[in-house]
């Protein structure tokens, strides 16, 4: 884990963030997992959202307190991935299928072990929040995510069949 670092997103990282987002789009991916909606808002508005959501006093009414991080490779400071660690599951979406931890890896950096390392870093952060167990989910056709969750200690609890024909698998990891 010493080759990756969690870093709070900042205004000076806008170029790296947009590059990360663009790479996903080039690979046909419109959803940025673990980004807390970076794919849906202008960067500056997204920074304010995640900043507000770090504190119970300022968290948006339809969200939960959460910490969203960029994950950088130490050697070249490249944005490798993202992680969003939610302190609770106090919304219907999170409690049913969103879970405590969302994470993603840029397409060109997949299959290099980064997802497993990011998940371990997120689990360590969840432990620091005094969570005793965390919920994660992935689409059933996402073999890489399933393997990462299982490697991280995930135990499958259920499958949800969505109206769009997709299936979501729900896992719990004891901390």
């Amino acid at each position: 884990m010493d080759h990756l670092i969690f870093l709070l997103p900042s205004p000076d990282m806008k170029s790296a963030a947009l590059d990360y987002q663009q790479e996903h789009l080039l690979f046909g991916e419109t959803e940025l997992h673990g980004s807390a909606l970076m794919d849906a808002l202008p960067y500056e508005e997204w920074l304010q959202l995640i900043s507000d959501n770090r504190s119970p006093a300022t968290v948006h009414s339809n969200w939960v307190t959460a910490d969203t991080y960029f994950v950088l490779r130490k050697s070249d400071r490249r944005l490798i991935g993202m992680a969003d660690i939610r302190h609770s599951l106090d919304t219907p979406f999170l409690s049913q299928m969103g879970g405590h931890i969302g994470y993603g890896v840029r397409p060109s950096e997949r299959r290099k072990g980064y997802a497993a390392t990011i998940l371990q870093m997120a689990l360590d952060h969840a432990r620091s929040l005094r969570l005793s167990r965390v919920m994660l989910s992935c689409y059933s056709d996402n073999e890489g995510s399933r393997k990462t969750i299982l490697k991280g200690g995930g135990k499958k609890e259920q499958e949800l069949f969505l109206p769009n024909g997709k299936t979501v698998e729900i896992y719990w990891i004891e901390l």
Side-chain angles (χ1 to χ4, degrees), residues 9 35-68 84:
S35 77
L37 298 180
M38 187 174 82
D39 49 355
L41 295 171
Y43 188 73
E44 293 76 11
E45 288 180 35
W46 174 76
L47 281 178
Q48 188 61 55
L49 174 77
I50 64 169
S51 176
D52 290 349
N53 288 343
R54 278 197 298 271
S55 169
T58 55
V59 66
H60 289 242
S61 62
N62 57 341
W63 290 69
V64 299
T65 306
D67 302 306
T68 305
D84 188 41

Side-chain angles (χ1 to χ4, degrees), residues 92-157:
F93 173 76
L94 291 178
S95 65
Q96 293 167 16
M97 62 185 270
H100 288 94
I101 297 172
Y103 60 91
V105 176
R106 71 185 311 139
S108 64
E109 298 290 350
R110 293 180 183 154
R111 299 183 173 272
K112 298 179 182 180
Y114 290 126
T117 302
I118 292 169
L119 177 56
Q120 285 306 312
M121 293 169 78
L123 293 172
D124 288 345
H125 187 77
R127 283 183 192 93
S128 78
L129 298 172
R130 302 195 186 283
L131 297 175
S132 59
R133 61 194 295 245
V134 293
M135 184 180 121
L136 290 94
S137 65
C138 68
Y139 290 117
S140 62
D141 62 358
N142 189 337
E143 186 66 25
S145 191
R146 178 187 309 106
K147 286 181 178 179
T148 298
I149 294 169
L150 290 170
K151 183 177 181 180
K155 305 283 187 243
K156 188 160 122 177
E157 182 177 280

